[in-house]
Amino acid sequence: MWGLLLALGAFAPAVGLGLGAPGASVLGLAPPATTEAPGSTPAPRSSPAQPPAERANGTSEQHLRIRVIKKKKVIMKKRKKLTRPSPRVTARPQVTTSPAGTLNLTEKQEPGCPPLGLESLRVSDYQLEASTSQSFGLGPHRGRLNIQSGLEDGDLYDGAWCAEEQDSEPWLQVDARHPVRFSGVVTQGRNSVWRYDWVTSYKVQFSNDSRTWWGSKNHSSGMDAVFPANSDPETPVLNLLPEPQVARFIRLLPQTWLEGGAPCLRAEILACPVSDPNDLFPEASVLGSSDPLDFRHHDYKAMRKLMKQVNEQCPNITRIYSIGKSHKGLKLYVMEMSDHPEEHELGEPEVRYVAGMHGNEALGRELLLLLMQFLCREFLQGDPRVTRLLTEMRIHLLPSMNPDGYETAYRRGSELVGWAEGRWNHQGIDLNHNFADLNTQLWEAEDDGLVPHTVPNHHLPLPTYYTLPNATVAPETRAVIQWMKRIPFVLSANLHGGMNDFSYLHTNCFEVTVELSCDKFPHEHELPQEWENNKDALLTYLEQVRMGIAGVVRDKDTELGIADAVIAVDGINHDVTTAWDGDYWRLLTPGDYMVTASAEGYHSVTRSCRVPFEEGPVPCNFLLTKTPKERLRELLATGAKIPPDLRRRLERLRGRKN
C-alpha cells in the first residue's frame, strides 16, 4: 500500500544483516595460538619464558609483580596466578600491556566518551582506510563493530576487515574528519560461517595529517602500549587508552592474531568532541533534539517509573495495563493513549506499536518511551496534530516485549552487548520465530484451490501442534497473541521482529516490521538524533489508519451492530471482520471498490465504496436483513407470533423447494 510505504520511507534507513556464526568453542576447536605480525615487536604471552612447574590439577603457577596504588604510596606485592598449560592471549578489558611484559591494572573500564559511529554508519565508508584488504568484501568499510557476513564464503559483503596474509604491517585507519579526544577502542573478530579469524593484540597510533604518527604509550615503561584484543569472534572487548589523545586520525595495528588465521577485526572507536579554536576543520554535526524528553536507556524499573510519570502527567488520556508476564515474571506493560482510555469507542480504530521483541534491540524500546512522553506533552500544549491523533484513535504502546532479554543486554552496556547477547528470552527462545507459521497453511490451501470457500483467507486458526501443552511457546508470545484477540487492532508496526504475517493472517491487523538502525543498542548520546530521525515517521504511520473505508454493519430490524460480520473487497484475497459492536476498518488505497458485508443468518449486501485521495476514512455502512429461517428460529425461541410477511416468505420458499 503506497500510503504505508510513504510513511515507512521516513523511518531511519537500516542495512539488512545476517546472523553470525557461533563461537569457536561450539565446534570444539583447540585453544588458539597466536601469530605475530612480521617485523613487529612481540607481544607478551600468558606463559613465561621458562616452563613453569606443573601443578597436580594440570594448571601452572606463575608469579607476577603488580603495582597497587594506595594512599599515594606504591606498594609492591606478589600474587600467584593460575594459567592454562597452552599458551594463549586472553583479552582482559581492564589490562594494558607493554612489550617489556609489565602489567598495569587500571580502574574498572567504563567508556566515558560516546562511539564515533562505525557501527551506526555515522562514520562513512570513505573515512575508513587500511594497509591492505583480502578482497572488496573484506575491505576497511567492513571493519565495523557487529557487522554481519553473508551466508556464502567470499561474499561481496563479508563480516570484518581482513588484511592480506603477506601484509607485514597491517593497519586499519579511521578519519574522524576533525579533531576529537580518542579515549578507547572496542574490537571483535571476523563474523563468518566459514572462517575463524580474530586479532589477539594490537597497538594504537594517532595523527593530525595522516603522515606523522605517534603511539599510545604505556605509563610505566614509556613504550608503545600493546592492547589485548579478542579470544573469540563475537565477544566485544573494550580497551581504554592509558591517556586520551586529541587527534583527527586513529590507527589500529594488529600485532598478533589467531594461529593459521589472518589479521581480521571489527571495531568501534570511542571519542569525545573537542573545540577547534583555530577553526581549521569543518564544524562537527551536533546530535540533538529540541524536545525536552528523557533521552537515556531505561532498565525495567526505570521504564516502569517513566510510564507512571507520563500517566500522572496526563491522567485523562493515558492508562497503563499489563498483557502478561515474561518467563522471569516481569510484566509486559502497555501504555494506552486516547481521549477515552480503557474504552473502545464505536468507529474509532485501534493501533499499536510493539518494540523489544529482541531484548538487545534497545532503540525501538526508547523510541516508544519517547513517543508516549511526546504525545502527552504536545496534547497538554494543544498541538492540533497530536490532539487529532488522540481523539480519532486509540493508541497502544508496548515498549518491551522481551524484558528479560533487555535486562541482560542493559547490564552489558551499549558498546559491549554484542550482536546476540540478550536477543532471546530467558528460556533461550527467539520470539521473532516463535509465532505460528500460518503462511504455509494458507499457501498450500491456495495451491489446492481451497481458498476462500473451504479455507478462509483471514482469521486462520492456530495449528494443532501449536496448541499442545508441550508446545514450545514462550509466555511472552502467548501474551501478545491473547492481546491481539482481545482488541480489534487495525494497524500495527513491530520495531523490530517476524510476527507481521501472523498478525495479518490470524487477526484483522495490517502489520509491518520496521528496521530502525544498524546499531542495535545505540549509545545514549545518539538517542536525541535517533528520535529526530524517526519522530515524524512514527506519527505519520499512525495517521495511515485513516486511509480506506470504515463503517458499522447493523441488523436492519434492531439497528444493533453485528459482530464477526465479514467484509470482502472484490479483487483482494483477504477479508476482515467486524468488532463486537459491529464496527470495522478496511485499509485501501484510493479507487472504486465493490464491498460485500455478510454474516451468518443474514442476507449478504454488496455496495460500491469510493476512496478519494483526500484523507479519510470514507464511511461505508451496511444494514443486513435476517434470512427467513433465522427470523423464524428467533421467533420460535421467544414464543412470539409469526408476522404475516415472514409467513408469506416461508410459504414461497416451501413452494420453490417442492
Side-chain angles (χ1 to χ4, degrees), residues 627-639:
T627 63
K629 288 184 178 180
E630 181 65 21
R631 291 183 63 193
L632 178 62
R633 187 180 298 114
E634 291 180 356
L635 292 172
L636 293 176
T638 59

Side-chain angles (χ1 to χ4, degrees), residues 40 54 83 88 91 119 133 144 196 198 205 253 267 285 303 309 337 351 377 481 489 506 566 599-600:
S40 64
E54 294 292 331
T83 61
R88 176 175 184 159
E119 182 178 10
S133 301
R144 302 174 182 273
Y196 289 94
W198 59 81
Q205 292 182 344
L253 299 91
S285 58
M303 178 191 74
Q309 291 173 343
M337 307 193 76
V351 295
R377 178 176 177 272
I481 291 175
F489 291 112
H506 191 61
V566 176
E600 186 176 356

